[in-house]
């Protein structure tokens, strides 16, 4: 049953208010819902409510009178009440089993506590309701529970009452003054500690901030709290947006399908994105916590105050909120490194999605299971689309658009078109062609040629675009996109020029060209010599490029470009080119040659590394195996691995003295989390990788033994797990396990690292770990750590030509699907791009997909992914 955007109809009934009463018990929880329903449309006499088919309906009354059986009918996920009056009060009582809810959607238990996840459609597992985001309701929630087991009772909004009920039970009543869709409802009942603080908004409102977690984890919540306060301030300063209630709660739970959830004033988080202290969290974890805390906070305006009309509009809130959290993070430390990381994520995950069987536009037109559309396309490509508008309209223009968007739509459930219209109207801009980004899937490809005319001093850029076909979309129109360009002279300086043909404007970071046609020409005059073009600076559009730049030009840009992103890009480009040549040579059994020019460029980078160590670390990080695979027609699994090892080996030997020097110089005696200290640690740990490539196991062993923080410890383990000293590896992993046995998030890393090893026996290790007492199919973090890391992070061993990796994954997916379909549907993804592999591997992958399709009772989540993936050849 496919749902289509074109079938959207406004809701027939509004729900003015809802009062929920939860009687939380160990065996069966009763939920009594009382709602005031008002008809919106004359010709729709029936009220249709959504509800899980398994839900036990105890009673249903209209205006105080039980409804006769003839007035109600239940089919599939729907409960229909016939001949509903123009308005009425419905009372519905159900019984649900949160204690048995392994799907982690609706009300469930995690670590002994009750919690909820309602986005996208979990509320229908709690009670019958028009479970769609354009039905916005005022919620009052009463929670009753055992007082000793669940001393903390939370829901959205303000607590207006609490007290004892006798017999060891107590209650609390919460009221949310803002109307909201059901997907933003939340409830928590548990035995939790709390870290409290407060924030004064710029207009003087004092907001109580609380982070709830297991008591033993409270010391790890300070970074999240500090991040929250910084995010609150940032949104005031950058967007003029203030928090709107007196209380902001965050609860950390260890069983969670996604990262976190922005429920109004009661965010629920995966512990992974709350808990951070240097003993259990890496520098990257600290940054991720800060980013997700900010993301959920920013949703209060972009998501909650203005929400989505329907789930096809998901990118309205997610693309925009990802853009906002990316910009927030860029303002905290290094803007260029943040940009590099975001582009890497886009290329590693979104580009393959956009080129594969599940390609969809950021606003999809159909789905079977909406949970499958919480994708890198909707989120991260969505953010790129917002970023392009930001670039096209400028910082101030974009802000004007945001202001108008809130002025028009506060309190409403709206569409992506409404957002773009606000941007247009606030700026008198025409984004008509630009809107295609919402409708067309596929990563546009730019082909660029340049031409220099010595006699006239004219330089021409010729940019062609084409958008590849994607499933269901064969005809594509050219898109409108900003293309940021620099022209660099032989001395490495930006060149002055005049744009005499083609659409573009001068910009503080070069030229902002507009691409609109399939074929675009831009001409510059007034140049004294041939410029070297710095293309797509800052990755100004989410596209791929084929350009006629030669290797010397790219290495010149690596050394001289004033745009750090473009420097990194040029360097990576040469590395990719080198790696692809090496792959060919490996396959042909020819000698492997890296090229002295690349070695020299890297030496220069290491000589200058002191000024920005983290940036040097980025430059010297080789492209990953999966990304190299993306650059090939058929992924050469083994040759890619060998080529990459070889390049690392050559750069390690040729630059050995630099690596030794930097490893020493970047080692701090005192641990700290300042950007400078993190930056030095990043380079030190890249140096460690190169030192290990020299065959030096000793440095990693000592590195592990002397480390006093998780970043260093993990860096050492990463090296040891691939190294040749088995005794050192086993000792370190055993030590790590003993030390962190009680820390779930650290143990996740322990599982993940072993699954990522390039050793030939990794699958065997993974199978053994599957039976480890600390492993569980019920915990998504653990599953992602072991199975997800192996299948999506270990190209070499997952894609072993025996097909055993595929069989292992499909077996796990089958089991997980019976417990938690949403997570199963994510785990299966590494199998779907069979068309990218040689016939043997492709056949083995399809065999496993086919076997999954034949599983009895397969969820629609996994069915949608698997069946779509089998529709490509
Ligand atoms: N809105 C949440 C976020 O991006 C994601 C929750 C999605 N959950 C789901 N089950 N699909 O912050
Ligand atoms: Zn979000």
């Amino acid at each position: 049953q496919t749902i289509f955007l074109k079938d959207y109809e406004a809701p027939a009934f509004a729900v003015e208010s809802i009062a929920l009463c939860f009687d939380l018990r160990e065996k069966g929880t009763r939920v009594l819902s009382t709602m005031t329903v008002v008809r919106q449309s004359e010709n729709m006499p029936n009220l249709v409510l959504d509800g899980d088919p398994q839900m036990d309906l105890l009673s249903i009354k209209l205006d105080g009178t039980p409804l006769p059986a003839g007035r109600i009918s239940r089919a599939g996920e729907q409960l229909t009440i016939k001949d509903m009056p123009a308005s009425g009060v419905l009372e519905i009582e159900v019984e649900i089993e949160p204690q048995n809810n392994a799907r982690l959607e609706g009300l469930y238990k995690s670590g002994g506590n009750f919690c909820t996840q309602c986005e996208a459609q979990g509320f229908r597992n709690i009670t019958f309701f028009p479970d769609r985001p354009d039905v916005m309701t005022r919620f009052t929630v009463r929670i009753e529970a055992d007082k000793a087991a669940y001393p903390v009772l939370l829901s959205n909004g303000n607590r207006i009452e609490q007290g004892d009920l006798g017999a060891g039970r107590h209650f609390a009543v919460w009221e949310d003054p803002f109307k909201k869709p059901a997907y933003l409802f939340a409830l928590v009942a548990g035995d939790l500690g709390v870290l409290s603080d407060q924030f004064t908004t710029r207009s003087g409102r004092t907001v109580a901030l609380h982070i709830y977690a297991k008591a033993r984890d409270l010391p790890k919540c300070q970074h999240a709290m500090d991040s929250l306060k910084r995010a609150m301030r940032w949104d005031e300063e950058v967007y003029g947006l203030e928090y709107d209630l007196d209380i902001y709660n965050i609860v950390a739970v260890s069983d969670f399908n996604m990262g976190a959830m922005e429920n109004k004033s009661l965010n629920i988080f995966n512990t992974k994105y709350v808990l951070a202290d240097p003993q259990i969290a890496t520098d990257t974890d600290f940054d991720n916590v800060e980013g997700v805390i900010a993301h959920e906070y920013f949703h209060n305006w972009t998501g909650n105050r203005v929400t989505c009309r329907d789930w096809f509009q998901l990118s309205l809130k997610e693309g925009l909120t990802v853009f906002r959290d990316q910009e927030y993070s860029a303002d905290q430390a290094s803007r260029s490194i943040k940009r590099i990381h975001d582009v890497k994520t886009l290329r590693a995950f979104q580009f393959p999605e956009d080129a594969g069987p599940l390609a969809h536009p950021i606003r999809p037109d159909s789905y079977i299971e909406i949970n499958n559309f919480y994708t890198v396309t909707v989120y991260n490509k969505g953010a790129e689309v917002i970023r392009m508008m930001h670039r096209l309209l400028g910082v101030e223009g974009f802000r004007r658009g945001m202001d108008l968007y809130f002025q028009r739509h506060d309190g409403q459930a709206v569409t992506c078109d409404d957002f773009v219209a606000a941007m247009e109207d606030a700026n008198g801009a025409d984004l008509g062609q630009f809107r295609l980004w919402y409708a067309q899937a596929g990563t546009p490809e730019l082909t660029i040629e340049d031409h220099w005319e010595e006699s006239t001093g004219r330089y021409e850029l010729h940019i062609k675009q084409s958008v590849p076909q994607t499933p269901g979309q064969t005809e594509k129109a050219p898109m409108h996109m900003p293309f940021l360009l620099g022209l660099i002279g032989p001395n490495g300086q930006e060149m002055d020029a005049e744009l005499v043909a083609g659409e573009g404007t001068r910009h503080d970071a070069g030229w902002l060209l507009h691409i609109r046609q399939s074929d675009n020409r831009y001409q510059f005059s007034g140049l004294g010599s041939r410029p070297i073009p710095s293309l797509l600076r800052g990755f100004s559009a989410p596209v791929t490029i084929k350009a006629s730049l030669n290797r010397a030009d790219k290495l010149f840009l690596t050394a001289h470009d004033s745009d750090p992103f473009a420097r990194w890009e040029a360097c990576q480009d040469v590395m990719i080119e080198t790696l692809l040549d090496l792959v060919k040579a490996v396959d042909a059994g020819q000698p492997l040659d890296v090229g002295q020019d690349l070695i020299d460029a890297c030496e220069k980078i290491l000589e200058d590394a002191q000024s920005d160590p983290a940036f040097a670390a980025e430059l010297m990080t080789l492209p990953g195996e999966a990304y190299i695979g993306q650059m090939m027609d058929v992924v050469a699994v083994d040759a890619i691995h060998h080529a990459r090892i070889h390049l690392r080996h050559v750069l390690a030997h040729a630059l050995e003295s630099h690596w030794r020097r930097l490893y020493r110089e970047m080692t701090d005696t005192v641990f700290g989390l300042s950007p400078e200290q993190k930056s030095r640690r990043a380079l030190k740990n890249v140096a460690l990788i190169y030192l290990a490539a020299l065959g030096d196991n000793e440095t990693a062993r000592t590195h592990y033994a002397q480390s006093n923080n998780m970043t260093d410890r993990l860096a050492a383990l990463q090296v040891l797990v691939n190294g040749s000293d088995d005794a050192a590896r086993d000792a370190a992993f055993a030590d790590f396990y003993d030390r962190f046995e009680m820390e779930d998030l650290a143990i996740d890393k322990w599982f993940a690292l072993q699954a990522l090893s390039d050793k030939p026996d990794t699958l065997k290790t993974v199978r053994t770990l599957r039976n480890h007492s600390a492993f569980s199919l019920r915990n998504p973090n653990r599953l992602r750590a072991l199975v997800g890391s192996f299948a999506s992070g270990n190209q070499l061993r997952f894609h072993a030509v025996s097909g055993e990796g595929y069989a292992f994954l499909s077996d796990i997916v089958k089991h997980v699907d019976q417990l938690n379909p949403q997570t199963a549907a994510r785990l299966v993804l590494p199998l779907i791009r069979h068309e990218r592999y040689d016939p043997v591997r492709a056949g083995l992958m399809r065999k496993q997909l086919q076997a999954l399709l034949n599983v009895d009772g397969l969820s629609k989540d996994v069915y949608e992914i698997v069946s779509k993936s089998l529709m490509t050849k």
Side-chain angles (χ1 to χ4, degrees), residues 242-262:
E242 254 184 76
Y243 190 59
D244 52 12
L245 280 163
D246 300 331
I247 181 167
Y248 193 89
N249 287 324
I250 290 175
V251 179
V253 304
S254 45
D255 303 273
F256 205 76
N257 281 334
M258 309 269 289
M261 181 61 214
E262 70 265 23

Side-chain angles (χ1 to χ4, degrees), residues 9 31 198 219 222 377 422 446 481 559 695 830:
E9 278 178 30
V31 185
Q198 58 179 47
Q222 191 58 48
T377 297
L446 304 186
M481 67 186 83

Side-chain angles (χ1 to χ4, degrees), residues 798-825:
F798 174 64
H799 288 282
V801 72
S802 66
E804 287 174 289
Y806 308 149
F808 170 77
L809 181 63
S810 95
D811 183 60
I812 295 264
V813 168
K814 195 172 79 187
H815 286 96
V816 175
D817 193 43
Q818 287 160 12
L819 300 165
N820 183 338
Q822 193 181 321
T823 289

Side-chain angles (χ1 to χ4, degrees), residues 99-102 104 255 776-780 783 819-820:
Q99 72 278 11
N100 297 325
N101 181 351
L104 315 184
D255 303 273
S776 160
L777 292 177
R778 291 175 175 266
N779 179 260
L783 267 174
L819 300 165
N820 183 338

Side-chain angles (χ1 to χ4, degrees), residues 4 13 22 39 219 244 252 385 505 538 819 854:
F4 293 93
F13 287 85
F22 288 84
R39 180 195 302 283
D244 52 12
V385 170
T505 49
L819 300 165
N854 296 335

Side-chain angles (χ1 to χ4, degrees), residues 117 119 258 260 262 295-296 317-318 371 374 379 822:
Q117 171 58 37
E119 188 178 2
M258 309 269 289
E262 70 265 23
H295 179 97
E296 306 310 332
K317 74 178 178 80
E318 295 304 346
N371 283 326
Y374 285 71
Y379 275 64
Q822 193 181 321

Side-chain angles (χ1 to χ4, degrees), residues 197-200 209 221-239 241 248 276 285-291 293-295 297-298 324-325 327-329 331-333 673-675 678:
D197 203 330
Q198 58 179 47
F199 178 85
T200 307
L209 311 176
C221 295
Q222 191 58 48
H223 173 65
M225 182 64 87
D226 295 339
S227 301
L228 175 61
K229 290 188 283 183
R230 281 193 290 271
M232 294 177 87
R233 192 61 77 206
W234 186 90
D235 219 11
E236 292 182 347
E237 285 167 359
V238 178
Y239 288 102
L241 298 172
Y248 193 89
D285 293 327
F286 270 82
D287 293 347
N288 290 341
V289 166
E290 177 140 26
I293 290 275
H295 179 97
Y297 175 71
F298 297 153
R324 277 153 51 69
D325 85 54
E327 285 297 289
Y328 164 78
S329 294
D331 283 345
Q332 305 310 306
L673 283 163
S674 70
K678 286 158 83 178

Side-chain angles (χ1 to χ4, degrees), residues 620-792:
M620 294 306 300
T621 298
L622 303 182
E625 292 183 23
Y627 188 62
I628 304 166
Q630 278 184 49
M631 304 292 123
M632 309 187 65
D633 293 331
V634 174
V635 182
V637 173
D638 300 285
I640 289 175
H641 181 70
H642 289 126
R644 191 166 178 275
I645 296 273
H646 180 75
L647 177 54
R648 191 156 69 200
H649 184 82
V650 169
L651 293 176
H653 279 278
L655 306 171
E656 177 172 351
S657 58
H658 286 291
W659 292 123
R660 295 210 181 277
R661 170 182 61 85
L662 287 169
Y663 184 76
R664 248 190 348 263
E665 288 174 6
M666 294 296 135
T667 300
D668 289 333
T669 42
V670 187
F671 176 84
L673 283 163
S674 70
E676 295 71 28
Q677 287 164 310
K678 286 158 83 178
S679 171
R680 295 158 58 77
R681 210 153 34 239
L683 183 56
K684 175 182 68 176
N685 286 324
V686 167
L688 178 67
I689 293 173
Y690 282 97
L691 292 177
L694 294 167
D696 169 2
N697 289 310
E698 196 40 42
T699 307
R701 228 165 57 95
T702 320
H703 193 100
Y704 181 83
Q706 294 178 348
S707 57
N708 60 0
N709 65 86
M710 186 53 95
T711 305
D712 286 341
R713 220 174 247 127
L714 216 62
L717 286 184
Q718 217 154 26
V719 162
L720 289 169
V721 81
N722 294 322
S724 55
D725 186 344
D726 291 353
R729 175 197 61 197
D730 293 348
F733 274 86
D735 173 81
F736 187 98
Y737 193 87
D738 287 347
R739 197 184 282 258
F740 297 112
E741 194 171 354
M742 302 304 290
E743 300 289 349
D744 289 344
L745 298 173
I747 296 300
D748 286 338
K749 298 181 195 300
W750 183 83
F751 277 100
L753 279 176
Q754 297 181 75
L756 290 168
S757 164
D758 66 8
K759 289 295 177 65
D761 62 353
T762 298
L763 175 55
K764 201 172 138 229
T765 308
V766 171
R767 285 189 195 282
T768 309
L769 289 173
R770 183 194 171 164
N771 297 316
H772 193 282
S773 61
F775 183 74
S776 160
L777 292 177
R778 291 175 175 266
N779 179 260
N781 286 358
R782 203 46 56 91
L783 267 174
R784 285 185 283 254
L786 181 65
V787 183
S789 302
F790 176 66
S792 80

